[in-house]
Amino acid sequence: MTIKRRHTEELPEHPDFLWKNPSPKKSYDVIVIGAGGHGLATAYYLAKNFGITNVAVLEKGYLAGGNMGRNTTIIRSNYLWDESAGIYEKSLQLWEGLEEEVGYEMFFDQRGVMTLAHSVSDLRSKQRNFYANAVNDIDSQWLTPEEVKKIAPIVNISPDVRYPVLGATYQARGGIAKHDWVAWGYAKAASDLGVDLIQGCEVKKVKVENGKVVGVDTNQGFISANKVAMAAAGHTSVLSEMAGFRVPLQSRPLQALVSELLEHVLDTVIMSGAVHVYVSQAHKGELVMGAGTDAYNSYAQRGGFHVIEHQLASALELFPIFSRAHLLRTWGGIVDIAPDASPILGLTPVEHLYINSGWGTGGFKATPGSGWAFADTIAHNRPHDLVKPYSLNRFVTGHLIDEHGAAGVAH
Amino acid sequence: MLLINCPWCGPRDETEFHYGSEAHIGYPEKPEDLTDKQWAEYIFYRNNPKGWFAERWVHNVGCRRWFNIWRNTVNHEFGPSYKPFTKQPSRPQ
């Protein structure tokens, strides 16, 4: 089918019910814990690619009510290391056909993602990233300040500012999508293939017998399963503890914000690590910005306002034009951060229990690729090639995938 | 913004502090005996509880001293703060 692409003005009416809300069955082949983007995508690809349809996705809150509804919707694949290039580029390729594949509009919009460099060391590290992308066949361009200005006229490229723009990397295939529509698209497609999406179902205990998972205790009773897959982001540590093993994750608040609706002034995504800004303008016209993580561990889905103030001050440094914009709304999600800022994926010390976690501050873009590779991992009970480098064991062997810098901004 | 009770200076704004993660992580007594797995535990693994957490902060724009404090990660409520190398107060209820 062909999807009509609407860039800005009219958003369609809110959709009618897109999926069934069944009561849980007594038993499933696979239980996925967490109906966020990664959990829903995993369930969809289990059904679609492997014919495994006796699947439940358990969600303690409501569908896509966690980080899937709280991120800044940025999509790109221009990471530094080969391992990241593998899974994020697979993800971007899936994004490029996703609306057609699931038959649901997601407002996927390849408006480009630009990452600015402001100092000599910044310039060198961005150029290193640019060349690394070239080696990995990931589209990337190097922009001069004048070229930056051409694509984004509102950027201040004067040399006489505190953070002058010295250059930028630009991934034209990057962009944004409407995150809730992505979740709904996957949910509808998974439900149509027979997957049970069960909201308000909280896992209280992961049941393990003789080293193998046998099911989960929930607030709706015990549900048995041959395989259990965790896709619970900030709550991964809590679930792992229920299953009897530890993960090297810390849960932190990550806040984001939107301005009031404005005329369109920015039709690309701009990131700056040195100034700490990432901003895009959503379809309706609000500026969407992400702040940094709050310093401390938390499960409260909120953070300090000084973090928002810091973020806005940074944004004004680069975009003086935003100074009159009003802040409309701020919110927080709980992100699970691994020591090397890369995800933890694959098998666990418990047989038939799988982990999809550690996406930290940048999991949205990976939704399709993560679900795709994780479903393959679950179906075959071995890590897919794209998943292999992300094993829990890398913290023992020392094969870390350090993407602190490539996260675009420091968190 | 959190209001953090420095055991030396009293309550101060969160922006005066830096976070130091989980408290009471000692350097291994016999590092030469550690396996790779034990090193991984020491370097990379920290508890991440949903609830009360004993953690370290440093009052870096105040007295510049480290201390420990109980804090609830669900609602950000604080329990007692205490100086390093002093007896840990019991976990708040």
Side-chain angles (χ1 to χ4, degrees):
Chain A
M1 66 180 287
T2 320
I3 301 283
K4 182 166 158 265
R5 198 177 297 286
R6 272 162 293 192
H7 188 61
T8 50
E9 292 79 21
E10 281 186 22
L11 293 179
E13 291 296 308
H14 278 284
D16 203 350
F17 292 103
L18 293 171
W19 53 83
K20 299 178 276 290
N21 280 298
S23 298
K25 293 191 278 190
K26 286 199 159 40
S27 170
Y28 289 94
D29 291 338
V30 180
I31 285 176
V32 179
I33 305 174
H38 290 237
L40 291 168
T42 301
Y44 166 72
Y45 291 113
L46 277 171
K48 171 83 186 324
N49 293 352
F50 302 100
I52 302 172
T53 57
N54 186 24
V55 174
V57 184
L58 308 184
E59 169 55 51
K60 77 183 165 84
Y62 60 94
L63 192 139
N67 296 346
M68 188 57 176
R70 295 163 192 260
N71 57 73
T72 51
T73 79
I74 297 170
I75 296 165
R76 62 189 180 91
S77 68
N78 54 354
Y79 279 69
L80 179 62
W81 298 108
D82 296 355
E83 296 85 350
S84 317
I87 195 155
Y88 288 107
E89 176 56 23
K90 174 67 194 178
S91 198
L92 183 48
Q93 288 170 12
L94 288 167
W95 276 115
E96 285 172 327
L98 193 57
E99 290 167 306
E100 286 75 9
E101 182 182 339
V102 302
Y104 196 72
E105 194 166 14
M106 296 171 174
F107 298 89
F108 175 60
D109 182 352
Q110 290 178 293
R111 56 176 61 186
V113 174
M114 187 188 290
T115 307
L116 306 177
H118 301 281
S119 66
V120 173
S121 73
D122 204 5
L123 196 74
R124 286 178 180 153
S125 91
K126 295 296 180 299
Q127 287 193 327
R128 178 189 183 206
N129 214 100
F130 163 70
Y131 289 122
N133 291 157
V135 168
N136 282 322
D137 282 334
I138 289 173
D139 68 306
S140 187
Q141 300 168 48
W142 183 260
L143 304 180
T144 63
E146 291 69 32
E147 288 166 331
V148 167
K149 188 83 179 167
K150 216 165 164 184
I151 294 173
I154 62 168
V155 179
N156 184 358
I157 61 162
S158 160
D160 299 323
V161 293
R162 186 171 171 200
Y163 297 104
V165 174
L166 302 184
T169 63
Y170 184 64
Q171 185 175 28
R173 287 164 62 235
I176 56 173
K178 277 188 92 63
H179 49 202
D180 38 10
W181 290 69
V182 175
W184 299 337
Y186 270 124
K188 177 182 186 301
S191 180
D192 287 349
L193 289 169
V195 170
D196 282 358
L197 307 178
I198 300 162
Q199 303 179 70
C201 184
E202 181 173 3
V203 171
K204 302 286 193 184
K205 176 92 188 139
V206 178
K207 288 272 213 184
V208 179
E209 280 174 15
N210 302 319
K212 183 176 173 297
V213 75
V214 295
V216 292
D217 270 329
T218 76
N219 58 350
Q220 299 186 31
F222 176 73
I223 310 171
S224 80
N226 182 29
K227 296 176 175 179
V228 175
M230 305 187 291
H235 275 78
T236 303
S237 299
V238 177
L239 285 175
S240 303
E241 199 180 315
M242 291 176 188
F245 64 96
R246 297 176 84 198
V247 287
L249 293 169
Q250 298 283 285
S251 298
R252 298 266 161 85
L254 177 63
Q255 299 184 82
L257 55 106
V258 289
S259 74
E260 62 197 319
L261 306 187
L262 302 167
E263 292 298 319
H264 278 267
V265 291
L266 182 63
D267 62 1
T268 186
V269 181
I270 297 188
M271 314 179 69
S272 159
V275 188
H276 199 297
V277 171
Y278 44 110
V279 58
S280 66
Q281 192 168 18
H283 301 80
K284 282 186 292 183
E286 65 270 42
L287 296 166
V288 183
M289 290 187 224
T293 49
D294 282 67
Y296 45 80
N297 290 22
S298 172
Y299 288 84
Q301 292 186 313
R302 64 171 189 265
F305 195 71
H306 64 281
V307 176
I308 300 291
E309 282 183 305
H310 176 72
Q311 164 58 27
L312 292 175
S314 304
L316 292 192
E317 192 72 38
L318 272 185
F319 305 101
I321 193 178
F322 294 168
S323 66
R324 300 297 171 91
H326 291 111
L327 180 65
L328 187 70
R329 201 158 56 85
T330 76
W331 63 91
I334 297 303
V335 298
D336 44 334
I337 299 179
D340 56 358
S342 283
I344 298 172
L345 301 173
L347 312 187
T348 70
V350 176
E351 216 184 318
H352 285 192
L353 177 65
Y354 309 88
I355 187 168
N356 183 334
S357 69
W359 292 98
T361 58
F364 173 72
K365 66 179 78 66
T367 301
S370 157
W372 185 88
F374 196 43
D376 183 282
T377 299
I378 297 163
H380 296 114
N381 191 35
R382 55 99 186 92
H384 183 273
D385 280 347
L386 292 177
V387 161
K388 257 185 204 155
Y390 294 103
S391 76
L392 255 177
N393 200 40
R394 76 176 184 271
F395 300 99
V396 175
T397 63
H399 290 94
L400 303 188
I401 304 160
D402 180 4
E403 289 288 2
H404 285 282
V409 296
H411 282 293
Chain B
M1 175 154 350
L2 306 178
L3 189 62
I4 302 173
N5 191 22
C6 171
W8 282 282
C9 310
R12 295 288 189 278
D13 281 347
E14 175 192 341
T15 45
E16 293 189 15
F17 298 84
H18 263 108
Y19 189 59
S21 196
E22 186 178 4
H24 308 297
I25 305 291
Y27 191 77
E29 283 182 19
K30 285 191 166 179
E32 66 276 15
D33 291 346
L34 258 52
T35 62
D36 287 353
K37 195 161 182 296
Q38 287 167 323
W39 270 118
E41 287 274 332
Y42 168 64
I43 295 171
F44 297 122
Y45 283 71
R46 293 294 177 268
N47 286 328
N48 187 24
K50 186 174 183 177
W52 287 104
F53 190 37
E55 61 193 15
R56 297 187 308 162
W57 290 81
V58 59
H59 193 187
N60 56 301
V61 301
C63 61
R64 300 174 65 194
R65 283 189 278 196
W66 285 93
F67 62 93
N68 302 323
I69 194 164
W70 280 106
R71 188 178 56 89
N72 192 317
T73 62
V74 175
N75 57 14
H76 299 174
E77 184 189 345
F78 279 101
S81 63
Y82 51 105
K83 297 170 183 175
F85 310 112
T86 60
K87 191 172 178 304
Q88 182 182 21
S90 56
R91 175 193 303 267
Q93 294 304 306

